[in-house]
């Protein structure tokens, strides 16, 4: 397994943790724009890219770079922040002006007080369009944290079995398209 990260500190931490667990991992310093150069073009069978697309300058170029590193029929696991849920979260926190500003703003557009903490957020349609543009076929789109970020932590602490029931509910709605707009994140598998 290879891990590519721009941070030497993150790679050092990875090496230490891998040694502690007896796992063989190759850590290489690099970034998304040069991924194929670092690992070799068309060399990866599986690519995990979680929480990265939100912070790159050009998501389309980043996906093209990922695609260049993938073998034919390779699988991409992509996890991104979802736009609609951010609007709901702002409104539920009482930040109605921010929610209104985000409502029709393009992904990653600045909101009151600057860009959102985690950068861009994507709708399902935007994400699928970007993936198709990079020559990738979307296999599945799952919602992650549909209800988990909306449920008060105190409820989970006080109600016996509430955490397990919430996990079961999350699994039940992950692939239901009507709940995707509420998901904090979208998990996409593509080929």
């Amino acid at each position: 397994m290879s891990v590519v990260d721009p941070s030497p500190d993150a790679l050092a931490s990875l090496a230490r943790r891998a040694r502690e667990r007896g796992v063989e991992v190759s850590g290489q310093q690099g970034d998304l724009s040069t991924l194929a150069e670092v690992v070799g073009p068309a060399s990866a069978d599986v690519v995990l890219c979680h929480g990265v697309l939100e912070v790159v300058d050009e998501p389309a170029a980043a996906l093209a770079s990922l695609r260049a590193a993938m073998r034919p029929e390779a699988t991409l696991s992509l996890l991104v922040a979802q736009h609609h849920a951010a609007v709901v979260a702002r409104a539920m926190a009482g930040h109605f002006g921010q929610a209104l500003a985000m409502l029709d703003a393009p992904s990653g557009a600045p909101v009151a007080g600057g860009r959102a903490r985690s950068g861009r957020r994507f709708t399902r349609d935007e994400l699928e369009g970007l993936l198709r543009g990079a020559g990738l076929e979307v296999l599945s789109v799952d919602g992650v944290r549909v209800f988990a970020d909306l449920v008060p932590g105190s409820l989970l602490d006080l109600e016996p079995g509430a955490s397990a029931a919430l996990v079961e509910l999350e699994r039940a709605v992950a692939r239901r398209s009507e709940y995707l707009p509420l998901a904090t994140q979208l998990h996409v598998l593509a080929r």
Side-chain angles (χ1 to χ4, degrees):
M1 173 174 28
S2 294
V3 174
V4 178
D5 195 290
S7 167
D9 292 338
L11 291 170
S13 178
L14 168 72
R16 181 183 49 77
R17 290 180 182 175
R19 274 192 314 275
E20 288 171 358
R21 291 179 174 81
V23 176
E24 192 172 320
V25 177
S26 167
Q28 299 172 312
Q29 190 170 1
D31 63 27
L32 194 50
S33 66
T34 60
L35 183 63
E37 296 167 25
V38 173
V39 298
S43 63
D45 291 315
V46 177
V47 174
L48 303 177
C49 185
H50 294 184
V52 176
L53 204 59
E54 297 95 319
V55 297
V56 298
D57 291 333
E58 296 292 331
L63 287 171
S65 182
L66 287 170
R67 178 67 187 97
M70 295 170 64
R71 289 185 176 143
E73 302 301 315
T75 300
L76 169 65
S77 173
L78 183 67
L79 186 69
V80 299
Q82 199 266 124
H83 181 82
H84 301 302
V87 175
V88 172
R90 294 292 192 289
M92 294 206 50
H95 303 293
F96 306 118
Q98 287 182 6
L100 186 60
M102 289 181 77
L103 193 59
D104 293 318
S107 294
V111 294
R115 178 172 274 193
R117 282 191 309 253
S118 62
R120 289 180 174 78
R121 289 178 166 80
F122 300 89
T123 66
R124 178 183 187 165
D125 291 342
E126 290 168 334
L127 193 55
E128 287 183 348
L130 284 167
L131 288 161
R132 280 191 305 274
L136 294 160
E137 171 194 2
V138 175
L139 303 174
S140 66
V141 180
D142 289 352
V144 177
R145 302 183 68 84
V146 173
F147 298 112
D149 292 340
L150 302 174
V151 174
S154 59
L155 176 68
L156 297 176
D157 294 338
L158 297 174
E159 189 67 34
S163 293
L166 179 58
V167 168
E168 185 178 340
L169 178 61
E170 289 282 351
R171 286 185 182 139
V173 299
R175 289 227 169 131
R176 293 189 180 193
S177 62
E178 64 269 29
Y179 291 97
L180 284 180
L182 293 176
T184 301
Q185 298 171 311
L186 297 175
H187 180 240
V188 178
L189 291 178
R191 178 177 322 131

